[in-house]
Amino acid sequence: MTDAQVERTIEAEFKIVEFEEKVYEEPVDGPKLTRVTIRKRYQGAIDGTGVTEVLTAQGAAGGGYVASERIEGTLDGRHGTFVIQHHGLADGDVQSSDGHIVPNSGTGELAGISGRAMERRFQVLTLIYTL
């Protein structure tokens, strides 16, 4: 981190505006496997949109996912895009979701962004980043 770069933490609320799930394998035993496209609308600390492609494994009492999300909009007064690589697990009611900003994925005024992301509250993205 250079002197010009300061680590910031923001919470960005979002609404899911489109959710399209396709099952690509559903065995008799074991979790079903799906591909999900999610479109989001961010307001607040991030003003913009997100599109996410998700691969899931969904069982009766647990599951997991990996996802790539491209966010386009304004963050900290700067406009551009960046990509977050997410992953999460669920074991009964216990859930976790974490991710990282893909290196060198920032464009426009968000070029050079780096950091990590998590969802600890429903439809709230926490982003810890430097720019």
Side-chain angles (χ1 to χ4, degrees):
M1 201 174 349
T2 67
D3 289 337
Q5 293 178 316
V6 176
E7 185 174 86
R8 295 207 50 211
T9 301
I10 59 101
E11 289 190 337
E13 294 185 15
F14 63 86
K15 299 277 189 229
I16 295 174
V17 295
E18 185 179 325
F19 185 96
E20 182 182 328
E21 180 180 49
K22 295 179 182 170
V23 176
Y24 64 90
E25 185 163 340
E26 193 163 10
V28 173
D29 284 333
K32 73 176 178 179
L33 303 178
T34 70
R35 180 180 177 159
V36 183
T37 301
I38 301 171
R39 296 187 185 280
K40 302 175 183 176
R41 175 66 176 110
Y42 286 92
Q43 291 182 298
I46 297 174
D47 184 24
T49 59
V51 62
T52 310
E53 286 294 320
V54 187
L55 297 176
T56 75
Q58 301 174 33
Y65 78 91
V66 294
S68 294
E69 177 178 11
R70 182 174 183 266
I71 296 175
E72 179 176 5
T74 303
L75 169 65
D76 199 21
R78 299 176 184 194
H79 189 267
T81 67
F82 60 96
V83 176
I84 299 173
Q85 188 74 48
H86 298 272
H87 61 277
L89 295 172
D91 186 358
D93 291 338
V94 178
Q95 297 182 14
S96 65
S97 174
D98 293 288
H100 288 87
I101 296 173
V102 173
N104 302 307
S105 67
T107 67
E109 296 173 310
L110 298 177
I113 191 170
S114 64
R116 54 196 193 280
M118 61 198 79
E119 289 182 29
R120 298 294 186 255
R121 293 188 298 136
F122 182 67
Q123 294 189 346
V124 176
L125 174 72
T126 300
L127 194 63
I128 303 164
Y129 70 96
T130 57
L131 186 59

